[in-house]
Amino acid sequence: MQSIRSLTTLTICLLTAMLTTAQQKPNIIYILADDLGYGDVRCLNSGSKLHTVNIDQMAAGGMKFTDAHSNSSVCTPTRYGILTGRYAWRTRLQNGVLWGYDTMLIKNNRTTLASLLKRNGYHTGCIGKWHLGLDWKKKGSGEFDFFQPLTAGPLQVGFDYFYGIPASLDMHPYFYIENSSITATAVDSTAGNSGKGFWRAGPAGNDFRHEEVLDRITDKAVDYISREARSAHPFFLYFALTSPHTPILPTRSYQGKSGTNAYGDFVLMTDDVVGKILDAVKAAGIEENTIIVFTSDNGCSPSAGFAELSAAGHHPSCIYRGAKADIFEGGHRIPFIVRWPAKIKAGSETTATICLTDFMATLADMFQQPLKDNEGEDSFSLLPLLLQKKGYARTSIVHHSIDGNFSVRRNDWKLIFARGSGGWSAPAEKEAKAMGLPGLQLYDLKTDIREENNVAAGHTSIVKELSDAIEDIVKNGRSTKGKKQSNDVVVNYKE
């Protein structure tokens, strides 16, 4: 009897210790806006005409980063970088983005944020826009059979739960997917839409309405937080918004609210989504030990209506040149805010240059579990910055445009391997070549943050130093220290 009591006591102690450890691990919510510009957020741009009160509240209670960058200036590759800690140009995706029917970009054996957290006792949820490829099955006729369960998607790369849409909200097929199956009971088709509310014509579920998607996924995210907050384990929610990307669809209560245009109204609706997440965390009683990240996948899209916004005195790229798709700063310099009341000093700020690939190493550092050589090859821990200590190790950052053009940044120097924007802004590469512009651009961001004065010809030693740096990053298959890794394809970073 004594031995049974001792065993029972030991079991209780072990369970208590496990529960205590789980409770000490922070819950993590990663909110990824879609095409939100650096200049849209008031706490980063005092000249913003948009009153982003909830995002600003996050910054007031946490840390804001003024030199944060997405690893690409478009959606899919950025999402790959966030979840894997690896530059997406190391994969088959050398330019552009995936489409709604493309296969999975993340290989099943690659460690992701979700799988890393899952092996540390977290429940992992993915809600919102996926846009990293799926494996739609086909019928014998060659047509897609959307009712067949997916065997490649979020669940195969570490997520326990998924509710969301396949790709961008303007790309068919249009379905809600829960875990591995669509929620629709029939497949309809939708006509395309034009203007700021643009989407392409294509197959759609009978329960799918474009104007309802943002509210639907927000409700799912709030429910997920409420449910998982009551469990014994910590949770990770990757909440990928569909806004303010096209179709720009502010609901009636937001229309005209910003005093700019429909895009500005949609940004305010996006800001209120952030507010609902903050409220859900507070209502669940987990505010103190929950890490909330807010960021964007790239700069603002021209679809926002830059002329209209400028006439209203608003500039989504703030002082930076370019926009979504470009190699210039406006393409990839993005908002990045982290709140963690238990650890991060309220109202803090850092000017350190960071990349969205850095979150994986941050988590590994938090758990004191060094990444393996084939994990997070381009990820540097942000934990020293968050805790305001020394030790942040990133010395360079590689940017990538929609056309597949590269640039490398070290300190204030930025070397661009392109003649023009590398994207949608003027001059495009063909135009820049016709104008006789040089194949390299070098900017000193300390004195020329607008990237107006190309000084490559007068600083050949800097050009060589940065060229050597990116050559090593490409050749070694990594930008962090560790054993050399292989890229998935041959990578050409030059023009």
Side-chain angles (χ1 to χ4, degrees), residues 278-309:
L278 296 176
D279 289 345
V281 169
K282 187 173 183 178
I286 57 172
E287 193 172 20
E288 182 69 12
N289 198 31
T290 296
I291 298 172
I292 305 179
V293 176
F294 176 81
T295 188
S296 178
D297 60 350
N298 43 249
C300 180
S301 169
S303 301
F306 290 159
E308 294 173 354
L309 291 166

Side-chain angles (χ1 to χ4, degrees), residues 67 69 333 353 395-397 399 408-411 413 445:
D67 196 5
H69 299 262
R333 187 181 287 242
T353 306
T395 59
S396 62
I397 184 171
H399 308 302
V408 60
R409 163 100 178 268
R410 178 172 285 178
N411 298 322
W413 290 107
L445 298 184

Side-chain angles (χ1 to χ4, degrees), residues 437-456:
L437 295 179
L440 291 174
Q441 302 174 64
L442 179 68
Y443 298 104
D444 179 357
L445 298 184
K446 185 175 183 179
T447 59
D448 182 24
I449 195 62
R450 297 178 187 271
E451 298 173 281
E452 296 174 330
N453 183 27
N454 180 4
V455 296

Side-chain angles (χ1 to χ4, degrees), residues 3-297:
S3 61
I4 293 174
R5 280 199 296 265
S6 298
L7 182 59
T8 302
T9 302
L10 178 60
T11 302
I12 292 172
C13 289
L14 286 172
L15 289 173
T16 302
M18 290 170 63
L19 180 60
T20 302
T21 301
Q23 289 173 337
Q24 288 174 346
K25 290 179 179 177
N27 300 301
I28 303 167
I29 301 170
Y30 196 110
I31 307 172
L32 180 64
D34 198 359
D35 288 6
L36 181 75
Y38 182 100
D40 290 326
V41 178
R42 177 68 71 89
C43 65
L44 291 168
N45 172 22
S46 61
S48 174
K49 297 297 181 181
L50 309 179
H51 295 268
T52 49
V53 293
N54 295 294
I55 299 169
D56 296 351
Q57 178 190 336
M58 260 196 72
M63 176 177 283
K64 64 181 179 181
F65 292 69
T66 60
D67 196 5
H69 299 262
S70 52
N71 51 286
S72 171
S73 57
V74 282
C75 333
T76 300
T78 289
R79 289 157 205 274
Y80 178 92
I82 290 170
L83 291 179
T84 66
R86 184 181 188 232
Y87 289 133
W89 48 260
R90 300 192 189 279
T91 74
R92 72 177 195 266
L93 190 66
Q94 294 296 288
N95 54 67
V97 300
L98 296 187
W99 293 85
Y101 304 95
D102 284 334
T103 56
M104 176 80 102
L105 186 61
I106 302 175
K107 295 181 178 179
N108 283 354
N109 60 353
R110 176 156 287 278
T111 300
T112 65
L113 292 182
S115 60
L116 175 67
L117 287 163
K118 193 170 180 178
R119 72 191 188 208
N120 278 278
Y122 280 71
H123 188 276
T124 54
C126 174
I127 295 175
K129 170 180 168 178
W130 179 236
H131 208 177
L132 282 163
L134 299 165
D135 73 330
W136 299 110
K137 299 295 184 294
K138 289 187 177 181
K139 304 175 183 178
S141 61
E143 296 179 345
F144 286 100
D145 185 352
F146 296 113
F147 291 102
Q148 287 294 317
L150 297 165
T151 56
L155 300 192
Q156 282 67 47
V157 293
F159 287 102
D160 294 308
Y161 176 75
F162 173 58
Y163 185 93
I165 64 174
S168 294
L169 191 51
D170 57 10
M171 291 180 173
H172 57 84
Y174 304 115
F175 293 108
Y176 293 113
I177 301 169
E178 188 157 30
N179 293 323
S180 296
S181 300
I182 65 172
T183 61
T185 57
V187 177
D188 297 330
S189 62
T190 179
N193 205 27
S194 59
K196 288 188 177 64
F198 167 80
W199 68 75
R200 298 165 179 84
N206 61 345
D207 60 348
F208 196 98
R209 304 289 180 274
H210 284 77
E211 60 274 14
E212 297 173 359
V213 171
L214 184 59
D215 283 339
R216 177 83 70 96
I217 62 174
T218 301
D219 289 345
K220 288 289 184 179
V222 168
D223 289 346
Y224 179 88
I225 292 167
S226 176
R227 180 175 68 250
E228 294 305 321
R230 296 193 297 268
S231 68
H233 50 245
F235 68 84
F236 167 56
L237 172 61
Y238 170 61
F239 183 31
L241 309 186
T242 54
S243 64
H245 191 289
T246 51
I248 295 169
L249 297 171
T251 52
R252 185 178 298 275
S253 61
Y254 293 94
Q255 293 171 10
K257 188 176 180 180
S258 70
T260 57
N261 69 355
Y263 172 79
D265 299 341
F266 208 29
V267 170
L268 294 189
M269 186 174 173
T270 303
D271 180 67
D272 275 2
V273 168
V274 175
K276 290 175 182 177
I277 298 301
L278 296 176
D279 289 345
V281 169
K282 187 173 183 178
I286 57 172
E287 193 172 20
E288 182 69 12
N289 198 31
T290 296
I291 298 172
I292 305 179
V293 176
F294 176 81
T295 188
S296 178
D297 60 350

Side-chain angles (χ1 to χ4, degrees), residues 354-390:
I354 73 160
C355 182
L356 293 189
T357 57
D358 289 339
F359 203 56
M360 176 171 280
T362 305
L363 297 180
D365 195 8
M366 188 186 309
F367 300 135
Q368 298 181 349
Q369 294 178 4
L371 293 173
K372 299 174 184 176
D373 282 323
N374 63 348
E375 296 177 331
E377 292 94 330
D378 301 299
S379 189
F380 294 83
S381 175
L382 301 175
L383 198 59
L385 298 176
L386 297 174
L387 303 181
Q388 296 185 304
K389 296 180 179 180
K390 294 180 180 180

